[in-house]
Amino acid sequence: MSKSSTNYTPRPVSNTTTYALGGVAVVVVALIVFALFRWNSGNSEIRNDGYGPVHDPAVTVALDSDGAIVLGKPGVLETVEVYEDPICPACGSLERIYGQEIAQQIDEGKFAIRYRLVNFLDEQSNSKDYSTRAIAANECVAQNGDGPVYSKFHDLMFTSRQPTEGSGDLSDQDIAEIAKESGAPDAVQQCITTGERAESARNHAEAALTALEAANDGTVATPSVFIGGNKIEWTDEEWVLTAAR
């Protein structure tokens, strides 16, 4: 994604990654801050711990023309839109705490998830392009159409295998191994290692970034969660159940 300038400013009191886009030239200000959310003070229980990722074979995954990755059962009426950067630690927290609860609701047909993946934290990886490559890999897995495989891959990429922001990375081969572990076939692994979807991932990340800006009056954050077009507070421990009603 083309940017005229990038500022990255860590702050010691918040765990949310934020940025602002403004003017004709896109200026991304990434604010990675580390706060004590409620779960850090004794309310950090993982929701539905032990359920795991989606496992109903009726769940499918599809890659929309704008690059959104939609995970859910056909005909589901409610869709939750989630914006994430693959190396964003707060996104990892969302998936670690709520991912299994989300998976159960998807298996039960309560809602679908529409993932919009952005790459404004590319520079915070050792390779300087991890987020883009991870988005490309997500697209490789998603276009295969297997919902449970994609769910497991997405879970691993955002939780136990997520690189450390500012000092971590994964190679394409590493990511392909995660896809293999998730059950993806050889063709998907090859798609990842050859960088087949790298250019489309950049374009889709830019489109998602623009959509995220528009959705929140130019000041937005990852992770950001929208239900019915309305932004919700993902640190509210009941938000998944609210979306499922």
Side-chain angles (χ1 to χ4, degrees):
M1 188 187 77
S2 174
K3 297 185 276 285
S4 61
S5 65
T6 302
N7 286 322
Y8 170 79
T9 308
R11 295 183 180 178
V13 292
S14 173
N15 194 26
T16 304
T17 302
T18 62
Y19 65 90
L21 304 177
V24 176
V26 178
V27 179
V28 177
V29 180
L31 305 171
I32 304 298
V33 288
F34 299 95
L36 296 177
F37 284 119
R38 284 172 298 177
W39 47 82
N40 287 338
S41 59
N43 294 315
S44 58
E45 294 86 358
I46 295 173
R47 307 278 290 188
N48 288 23
D49 194 19
Y51 187 85
V54 165
H55 38 259
D56 189 336
V59 175
T60 63
V61 62
L63 186 62
D64 278 358
S65 59
D66 62 359
I69 294 170
V70 183
L71 180 68
K73 289 184 173 178
V76 172
L77 298 179
E78 184 69 74
T79 299
V80 178
E81 193 158 50
V82 179
Y83 289 84
E84 297 175 318
D85 187 301
I87 205 170
C88 158
C91 301
S93 292
L94 181 150
E95 295 295 342
R96 177 178 61 84
I97 296 168
Y98 298 104
Q100 297 179 79
E101 187 173 38
I102 291 169
Q104 183 172 1
Q105 300 305 323
I106 291 173
D107 274 340
E108 293 178 2
K110 298 296 180 63
F111 57 70
I113 290 282
R114 194 169 191 265
Y115 292 109
R116 302 298 305 274
L117 302 180
V118 297
N119 64 350
F120 68 95
L121 290 178
D122 262 342
E123 291 294 322
Q124 301 309 314
S125 63
N126 288 340
S127 63
K128 307 303 181 186
D129 67 352
Y130 170 74
S131 293
T132 298
R133 292 186 295 104
I135 294 169
N138 272 265
E139 293 188 6
C140 287
V141 179
Q143 69 181 356
N144 193 53
D146 190 315
V149 168
Y150 178 78
S151 179
K152 183 175 181 178
F153 177 76
H154 183 273
D155 172 69
L156 290 172
M157 289 287 285
F158 277 90
T159 58
S160 61
R161 309 301 172 77
Q162 186 186 51
T164 301
E165 184 220 3
S167 62
D169 215 332
L170 292 173
S171 69
D172 288 341
Q173 186 60 50
D174 293 333
I175 298 172
E177 287 297 322
I178 296 172
K180 180 179 180 180
E181 180 180 343
S182 302
D186 290 345
V188 170
Q189 298 168 50
Q190 184 176 5
C191 175
I192 295 170
T193 57
T194 60
E196 179 180 314
R197 297 201 62 87
E199 189 59 33
S200 67
R202 290 188 191 94
N203 293 336
H204 291 154
E206 184 169 359
L209 203 59
T210 299
L212 185 54
E213 176 192 15
N216 204 37
D217 299 324
T219 303
V220 288
T222 60
S224 283
V225 179
F226 295 84
I227 301 174
N230 298 312
K231 187 175 181 180
I232 62 97
E233 180 51 69
W234 68 270
T235 58
D236 175 1
E237 63 183 14
E238 297 299 319
W239 76 264
V240 177
L241 295 180
T242 299
R245 291 183 185 131

